Amino acid sequence: MIMMVKVRPCNAFCLPLPTSSLFSCSSSSSSSSSSSTEPSAPIPRIRRARALMVSFSSASPSSPSSSSSSSLSFSSAPISDPGELKRLLIEAKASVQANTASLDLAKFEGEINYYEQEAAQEGFWSKPAKARAVLTKLTRLKGIVARVNGWEKMVEDAETALLLWEEEEGGESEVWGQEGREGLRKLMEDLERWEVERLLSGPYDGCGCRMLITAGVGGADASDWAGMLLRMYTRYGERKGWKVRVVEMSVPVEGFGVKSAMVEVEGDMAFGFLKAEKGTHRLVRISPFNSGGKRQTSFAGVETMPILSEEALEEVVIEEGDVEMTTSRAGGAGGQNVNKVETAVRLKHLPTGLVVRCQEERSQLLNRKKAMDMLKEKLLVVKEEQRVEELAEIRGDLVEASWGQQIRNYVLHPYKLVKDTRTERETVDVASVLEGGEGLDDFVGAYLRWRSKENVVETLVEG
């Protein structure tokens, strides 16, 4: 059995990141670990400022926040003293300066000029894949520069508001205090998002993401729960500005929810964020399908893999004897070809036990090709997670949607609580999580920080 792999930065759906330790793709797990754990001086300042700072939360004042200090919920008590706002401004300004100093803006601006000149060349679109990669890098670089300029502008606005508050007297001065406070709140939130994005330095974090959501133990409740997760991730992706597409979905006989669904998410850093959701999700609630109104526990599994380019996938060689293929009828509404011809393809990688299935296309040949691409993507991401050098060293990585396997618990009865079993992060604001809002962002950020610390420990253990 011979398997070879050469990990290269991906393009098309997965594009190379700009040349910086914060934004460049890495071909080794060790470099990924080191870049994702760089010290970030501004973080303590942000959190100290947040401990003092007050602002309006997107949730109601009675909505409890997460147990983390990085939560985006604040006290509603007003700032009555300009000196307090001044202290917060000093902390925020120091954070902006430290984050700006960690970036080579002059280099970024030089790369922007280079890519703009390249995009203006005649015949630029003669190679569409390369052209898309260049434009994506150009957009990302411009976004970084614009973001830093935005930080400086928010600091200047807060300084102006503080100055006017100190100079004026009466009711008008309180308006400037309110404006300065609101500006600092937005600045702190963006700096915290930046903190999370610094952790996305893995070789595939800049790629699009393919998600497989599968109903597990729990009958009709599990199917309904899988449908709720599909809705949650769809809304989360839309809120992030990503393109979310359900490419394959199987509906259970009961007609509630989904039995399984394959979703493709195209967008900047989609896989980097959504990889935090891989695993088993457990729901506890009063079952709407139980006439006795009893509490029901159900499970659903989520698998994630990056969407890689054809060029990157060609570098992965899997021996034919290592793959077992079975076919079946795709079923569903698709005409006579779908229901009478075995077009659906299921591939199993015998050495690791990893399984993929594809029935999206109307041709068995096309489904087999796409399933093989999915298998390669899954092997590469598991190889990165398990920190091994060769594909032959990969262990089985099956997500079992059953008891004792969950990464996160969602309890709706007899109390409301969402808790991640890996990071110990928890919140009672269940709606914000299930709606794909800031609550889910908070769990993703907590996972990335936890994973970064785990990488440091593993690196130290390995010597």
Side-chain angles (χ1 to χ4, degrees):
M1 178 180 68
I2 301 175
M3 280 188 262
M4 300 175 290
V5 60
K6 179 181 178 182
V7 180
R8 297 180 56 182
C10 41
N11 50 31
F13 286 119
C14 174
L15 300 163
L17 300 176
T19 53
S20 167
S21 61
L22 300 180
F23 302 98
S24 60
C25 290
S26 168
S27 61
S28 68
S29 59
S30 60
S31 61
S32 173
S33 301
S34 60
S35 63
S36 64
T37 56
E38 292 178 350
S40 180
I43 301 311
R45 296 191 182 98
I46 297 175
R47 289 174 177 165
R48 286 199 302 271
R50 281 174 167 244
L52 296 173
M53 187 174 179
V54 291
S55 181
F56 298 114
S57 170
S58 57
S60 62
S62 61
S63 298
S65 63
S66 170
S67 59
S68 169
S69 61
S70 60
S71 169
L72 298 183
S73 297
F74 304 99
S75 169
S76 58
I79 294 178
S80 57
D81 180 14
E84 187 176 354
L85 181 61
K86 186 175 183 179
R87 289 192 296 272
L88 297 175
L89 179 59
I90 292 173
E91 296 282 356
K93 192 172 182 179
S95 297
V96 170
Q97 290 174 348
N99 275 299
T100 303
S102 68
L103 299 172
D104 191 346
L105 291 181
K107 181 178 180 180
F108 285 178
E109 290 172 353
E111 290 181 347
I112 289 173
N113 292 332
Y114 173 79
Y115 288 130
E116 284 179 340
Q117 293 176 8
E118 185 176 352
Q121 295 293 324
E122 184 178 355
F124 173 71
W125 285 101
S126 60
K127 297 181 178 179
K130 182 180 178 181
R132 285 194 297 269
V134 169
L135 292 180
T136 298
K137 288 188 286 186
L138 180 61
T139 301
R140 183 174 291 137
L141 288 168
K142 286 184 175 180
I144 294 170
V145 174
R147 192 170 191 175
V148 173
N149 292 336
W151 293 342
E152 296 173 351
K153 178 66 167 54
M154 284 189 281
V155 168
E156 292 176 0
D157 291 344
E159 288 177 335
T160 302
L162 176 61
L163 181 63
L164 292 173
W165 190 5
E166 292 175 333
E167 291 180 350
E168 295 189 16
E169 297 180 357
E172 186 69 21
S173 63
E174 296 296 330
V175 174
W176 294 117
Q178 170 75 11
E179 183 173 330
R181 178 182 65 179
E182 183 66 15
L184 284 180
R185 179 188 69 82
K186 294 178 180 178
L187 175 59
M188 292 298 184
E189 288 183 357
D190 196 47
L191 286 172
E192 180 160 311
R193 285 192 292 268
W194 176 257
E195 170 200 349
V196 173
E197 291 172 13
R198 284 174 64 100
L199 303 176
L200 300 177
S201 56
Y204 312 115
D205 287 348
C207 303
C209 181
R210 184 176 285 114
M211 300 185 75
L212 175 62
I213 303 172
T214 309
V217 176
D221 279 278
S223 299
D224 190 48
W225 174 222
M228 292 170 63
L229 289 177
L230 175 61
R231 176 176 174 270
M232 180 177 78
Y233 294 127
T234 299
R235 292 199 171 191
Y236 181 71
E238 291 172 349
R239 192 173 64 84
K240 288 281 190 181
W242 299 332
K243 181 180 178 182
V244 182
R245 184 169 67 102
V246 179
V247 297
E248 183 181 316
M249 185 167 65
S250 175
V251 180
V253 178
E254 298 88 349
F256 299 107
V258 298
K259 186 176 180 181
S260 65
M262 178 68 74
V263 183
E264 289 184 355
V265 184
E266 299 173 23
D268 191 27
M269 299 292 180
F271 177 72
F273 283 100
L274 293 175
K275 67 182 181 183
E277 299 303 295
K278 178 183 177 181
T280 301
H281 298 249
R282 172 175 174 256
L283 174 68
V284 181
R285 64 172 177 175
I286 296 295
S287 173
F289 309 105
N290 190 309
S291 58
K294 296 182 178 179
R295 189 172 62 177
Q296 176 74 30
T297 300
S298 50
F299 299 85
V302 176
E303 295 186 56
T304 59
M305 61 198 83
I307 301 177
L308 304 179
S309 66
E310 290 292 334
E311 182 182 7
L313 292 174
E314 287 176 358
E315 302 293 334
V316 183
V317 179
I318 301 178
E319 293 295 325
E320 288 292 333
D322 292 339
V323 179
E324 178 184 84
M325 184 181 82
T326 56
T327 60
S328 62
R329 297 180 185 178
Q336 295 180 357
N337 181 69
V338 171
N339 294 307
K340 292 185 176 180
V341 181
E342 293 188 346
T343 56
V345 173
R346 178 182 181 273
L347 298 182
K348 180 178 181 180
H349 188 242
L350 298 177
T352 63
L354 296 178
V355 176
V356 295
R357 187 176 187 275
C358 182
Q359 62 177 28
E360 178 184 351
E361 306 294 340
R362 294 175 60 84
S363 163
Q364 184 185 111
L365 184 63
L366 294 177
N367 279 329
R368 187 184 187 283
K369 181 181 183 303
K370 186 157 188 176
M372 182 62 73
D373 290 345
M374 292 166 59
L375 181 60
K376 291 178 179 180
E377 292 166 352
K378 182 176 284 191
L379 285 169
L380 285 176
V381 71
V382 175
K383 170 180 175 288
E384 179 67 21
E385 290 174 352
Q386 298 183 1
R387 302 166 65 87
V388 296
E389 296 297 329
E390 302 294 337
L391 288 180
E393 301 177 44
I394 292 177
R395 306 181 303 274
D397 196 53
L398 178 65
V399 174
E400 296 183 6
S402 60
W403 288 96
Q405 305 294 326
Q406 64 269 18
I407 62 164
R408 192 177 300 149
N409 295 308
Y410 305 73
V411 182
L412 305 184
H413 184 83
Y415 52 87
K416 293 185 182 296
L417 180 70
V418 180
K419 182 172 182 178
D420 196 297
T421 60
R422 302 163 298 182
T423 64
E424 300 299 322
R425 176 65 58 86
E426 62 182 41
T427 180
V428 295
D429 190 3
V430 178
S432 178
V433 178
L434 293 180
E435 290 293 328
E438 291 182 349
L440 183 56
D441 249 338
D442 190 40
F443 280 101
V444 171
Y447 170 82
L448 294 174
R449 297 185 191 96
W450 171 80
R451 186 68 258 178
S452 176
K453 294 178 182 178
E454 290 293 308
N455 287 339
V456 172
V457 173
E458 291 175 7
T459 301
L460 293 174
V461 171
E462 293 173 2

